[in-house]
Amino acid sequence: MSEKVNVLIIGSGPAGYTAAIYASRAGFTPVLYQGGQPGGQLTITNDVENYPGYPDGINGPQMMMDFQKQAERFGTDVRYGLVTSVDFNSYPFKAMVDEKIELEASSVIISTGASAKWLGLESEQRLATNGGGVSACAVCDGFFYKGQEVAVVGAGDTAAEEATYLSKICSKVHMLVRRDEMRASKIMQQRVLNTPNIEIHWNTETKDIIGETEIEKVILNNTKTGEESELNVTGFFVAIGHKPNTDIFKGQLDMDESGYLITQADSSKTNIEGVFACGDAQDNVYRQAVTAAGTGCMAALDAERFLAAKEMEA
Ligand code: NDP
């Protein structure tokens, strides 16, 4: 027997919890599945200083606990579990949780977010989770390195944008590019090349990041000569792209070539009526907590209208 749910929310970042707050205040009893990283990307950030309403900043994990508490206060049923498959081809929609719990949902809000890609070094993960100087978001964490020397890995538009952003805050930015050319658009490359305090290290890979609790130095490898060198920086920004967490929707929902869900202009509507998308799963441009929360609100309002129209039909 499958459980019936009126609003199923998949994902627990700012988009999912905001959708939950709105849907529960509208009288629904949404069920929110938290996914593999409860709280989403903000749980691996230190202080969040750019979310309005927190004049002294707040740490990411605490902020997400507050979001959860606020959603639960109005009746959202927040559950630990991963939605492992969905079937949007028939109505009500079907979803499977942890490959064993079957749900029937009258509407679905997708807020599965995106995950930053990492280099895969052990030191990188350790220093990213304990606030030791490794980050995947310059806008979130750049300010903590004011006046200091930092490194940015990557050569796409994200890396170019992050390097340019950091150059205004930090004394020097080392851009670590693994080939002898950049993938970023010409205009972004020009911006980087014209910024005096950005130094580009061509043909350079990161071999290791040294430091137990905070970065001491970075070991680099020249891919052409094989020569090793050391770089002294206090901040290390990984900007090698993001991957939206949308694999389970492939073949059912329209997405772009990178996997970002496509929503209709000025709405959270996907190509399936009754299925809505918000947050980073459908946004590769802004990717901020506050924009994710905004689209979460849109998704809840869209779901509410969809369900009201369904009720009128019945
Ligand atoms: P991209 O996939 O475009 O670029 C990733 C970059 O990271 C590449 O230069 C790649 O190197 C490098 N890289 C990947 N893996 C490693 C590794 N292990 N070690 C070192 N370097 C690595 O991702 P972006 O996030 O930059 O951009 C994604 C999309 O979003 C693009 O379409 C982009 O145009 C868009 N975007 C647009 C912006 C804007 O218009 N303002 C801002 C940000 C993104 P290599 O080139 O050698 O493969």
Side-chain angles (χ1 to χ4, degrees):
M1 265 285 280
S2 50
E3 182 188 351
K4 289 189 173 39
V5 171
N6 53 17
V7 182
L8 171 65
I9 301 174
I10 311 176
S12 57
Y17 280 131
T18 304
I21 292 163
Y22 272 78
S24 49
R25 288 189 82 252
F28 298 101
T29 42
V31 171
L32 181 151
Y33 275 94
Q34 290 182 310
Q37 188 180 18
Q41 291 184 79
L42 280 182
T43 57
I44 54 157
T45 302
N46 305 318
D47 288 340
V48 180
E49 293 184 329
N50 53 8
Y51 198 93
Y54 295 98
D56 302 317
I58 181 162
N59 82 46
Q62 181 59 51
M63 184 178 174
M64 293 323 298
M65 282 192 270
D66 288 347
F67 266 84
Q68 178 174 346
K69 228 161 103 187
Q70 194 171 351
E72 285 174 331
R73 184 178 147 211
F74 299 110
T76 302
D77 185 351
V78 178
R79 300 177 184 176
Y80 186 73
L82 187 70
V83 173
T84 41
S85 65
V86 291
D87 178 1
F88 296 152
N89 291 318
S90 53
Y91 190 83
F93 308 117
K94 290 189 181 56
M96 193 69 103
V97 181
D98 295 328
E99 284 169 10
K100 51 177 192 276
I101 302 164
E102 205 178 292
L103 304 173
E104 262 186 28
S106 305
S107 67
V108 177
I109 294 177
I110 297 168
S111 49
T112 45
S115 305
K117 291 184 191 163
W118 295 96
L119 297 173
L121 302 167
E122 181 277 326
S123 49
E124 172 193 50
Q125 282 312 302
R126 180 164 36 80
L127 293 164
T129 41
N130 70 0
V134 175
S135 165
C137 178
V139 177
C140 319
D141 298 327
F143 187 73
F144 302 115
Y145 304 95
K146 196 171 179 193
Q148 301 173 31
E149 273 192 45
V150 298
V152 174
V153 188
D157 279 335
T158 301
E161 201 168 67
E162 302 232 325
T164 310
Y165 177 84
L166 289 165
S167 71
K168 298 189 181 97
I169 303 168
C170 304
S171 58
K172 184 159 184 178
V173 179
H174 298 268
M175 207 167 161
L176 311 178
V177 177
R178 67 178 173 182
R179 290 186 293 135
D180 56 5
E181 61 176 340
M182 289 171 69
R183 185 185 292 269
S185 54
K186 283 283 170 284
I187 187 162
M188 303 284 268
Q189 289 194 36
Q190 274 314 318
R191 217 167 277 162
V192 166
L193 294 166
N194 291 338
T195 306
N197 65 338
I198 299 180
E199 183 184 342
I200 302 184
H201 301 250
W202 301 104
N203 304 306
T204 300
E205 276 180 348
T206 306
K207 201 168 165 209
D208 206 358
I209 307 166
I210 308 297
E212 262 316 300
T213 53
E214 55 186 48
I215 300 180
E216 287 164 22
K217 61 186 174 190
V218 179
I219 310 291
L220 304 177
N221 178 48
N222 185 303
T223 54
K224 282 250 159 91
T225 62
E227 200 182 311
E228 258 188 30
S229 59
E230 292 182 4
L231 186 65
N232 288 309
V233 287
T234 49
F236 185 88
F237 291 86
V238 181
I240 59 173
H242 283 80
K243 189 185 176 305
N245 303 318
T246 55
D247 285 354
I248 59 166
F249 310 115
K250 267 192 189 132
Q252 301 190 60
L253 295 183
D254 290 346
M255 45 183 85
D256 69 13
E257 68 281 358
S258 306
Y260 286 93
L261 298 174
I262 293 171
T263 50
Q264 291 172 26
D266 301 323
S267 93
S268 65
K269 292 177 186 170
T270 66
N271 56 303
I272 305 249
E273 217 193 336
V275 178
F276 307 92
C278 51
D280 286 11
Q282 52 86 56
D283 171 20
N284 75 345
V285 179
Y286 301 104
R287 296 197 295 239
Q288 299 301 302
V290 69
T291 50
T295 56
C297 159
M298 288 164 65
L301 296 177
D302 287 340
E304 190 185 333
R305 282 170 200 150
F306 167 79
L307 292 171
K310 275 265 168 216
E311 206 165 293
M312 295 274 281
E313 275 171 26

